[in-house]
Amino acid sequence: KIHVIHVGKCAGCTVRKELARNNINAGWTHMHKPTYQSDNKYVILLRNPIQRFISAFYWRYYLVCDTKKQQDKILGEKEILSKYKTVDNLAKDLEFNENIFNGTKKSRNYVRHLKEDLNHYLRDFVETCPKENLMGVICAETLKDDMKRLFNINSTLHKTKNERYDKSISKDSYKILKSYLKKDYDIIDSLYKKDWIDDNKYQFLRK
């Protein structure tokens, strides 16, 4: 059985649609920590941690502040996103306060997808899943090649709705996020040491 670990903002919606369009059945784990089961073949969706963080911030900003589709879904989320507006602004405070958005959903300091990072999904899973149960890794950065390699699918569906935002960040913000997301980068190191990702993936995931 194929089971996809859908780390948020790693092209998971595109992968799900492509599999469905090609009549490929798969189980999914999203927003929750995966539990290893020996009868599954796992596919992990990944992205460079900083790029994933930036995409997650602006995706939530799009849904909560711009379109207001989810403005009341999570207590306090709108206030956090409205206060900072950009990743650069958030990073300045994140350097001194690591708990801006990683509380519980009722704590008023929680932002969906920012708390659920690579470490959240994969820390325990990497330690328990043997390589023979890994079907492969799909990266947002190499989506088309990975879909072709793993499923023989020529992917054409990937589009984003938050392209309107300037996702560039300052050098200072990059350094702050690189430090804040250290556990995510440790996960990438672990995947590389286990030979779950190749040299090419490791290079852009580790930037």
Side-chain angles (χ1 to χ4, degrees):
K1 295 187 295 185
I2 299 172
H3 193 93
V4 181
I5 300 175
H6 174 188
V7 178
K9 304 315 298 172
C10 295
C13 291
T14 298
V15 174
R16 186 186 291 266
K17 290 176 183 177
E18 292 284 19
L19 295 185
R21 190 174 71 163
N22 287 273
N23 299 313
I24 297 174
N25 294 322
W28 288 79
T29 295
H30 182 51
M31 297 303 294
H32 302 289
K33 296 181 180 181
T35 301
Y36 168 69
Q37 296 182 24
S38 60
D39 58 343
N40 285 339
K41 290 290 186 180
Y42 289 93
V43 175
I44 299 174
L45 307 188
L46 286 182
R47 190 174 187 174
N48 170 271
I50 292 177
Q51 295 305 316
R52 195 207 71 84
F53 184 98
I54 294 170
S55 179
F57 178 90
Y58 288 113
W59 176 238
R60 293 309 298 164
Y61 193 89
Y62 168 79
L63 290 176
V64 175
C65 298
D66 271 0
T67 65
K68 296 181 172 56
K69 291 179 180 179
Q70 296 186 13
Q71 65 175 337
D72 300 318
K73 184 171 184 176
I74 298 171
L75 189 68
E77 187 182 32
K78 181 181 178 182
E79 287 72 17
I80 295 172
L81 294 169
S82 298
K83 174 182 178 181
Y84 290 105
K85 293 184 174 63
T86 70
V87 172
D88 275 333
N89 292 337
L90 176 61
K92 290 175 184 176
D93 280 1
L94 191 61
E95 185 176 17
F96 304 103
N97 178 10
E98 294 186 349
N99 296 309
I100 294 172
F101 52 74
N102 61 8
T104 66
K105 290 183 179 180
K106 296 181 179 180
S107 66
R108 290 189 177 273
N109 65 326
Y110 169 82
V111 176
R112 185 177 172 93
H113 291 313
L114 292 189
K115 178 180 180 179
E116 291 84 13
D117 52 17
L118 270 62
N119 180 66
H120 167 85
Y121 283 95
L122 298 175
R123 181 185 63 225
D124 298 330
F125 182 80
V126 169
E127 298 301 320
T128 56
C129 179
K131 187 179 179 182
E132 55 263 30
N133 285 77
L134 180 75
M135 183 175 176
V137 172
I138 296 175
C139 292
E141 295 87 345
T142 54
L143 175 65
K144 290 185 178 181
D145 289 343
D146 294 335
M147 290 296 288
K148 182 67 174 178
R149 174 175 52 84
L150 293 178
F151 299 108
N152 197 30
I153 291 174
N154 294 310
S155 181
T156 59
L157 295 178
H158 187 54
K159 296 179 181 179
T160 62
K161 295 182 180 179
N162 55 353
E163 292 176 347
R164 68 183 70 185
Y165 305 108
D166 180 4
K167 297 180 184 178
S168 61
I169 60 174
S170 69
K171 291 181 179 180
D172 287 341
S173 295
Y174 189 92
K175 291 178 181 178
I176 293 167
L177 290 178
K178 192 76 181 278
S179 176
Y180 176 79
L181 296 169
K182 181 183 182 303
K183 291 181 180 179
D184 277 15
Y185 284 98
D186 289 344
I187 291 293
I188 292 169
D189 287 341
S190 296
L191 298 181
Y192 183 65
K193 290 175 182 176
K194 288 177 172 287
D195 198 30
W196 289 14
I197 55 175
D198 59 20
D199 290 342
N200 179 53
K201 279 185 169 55
Y202 183 70
Q203 292 303 317
F204 62 73
L205 288 171
R206 199 64 181 78
K207 284 184 179 179

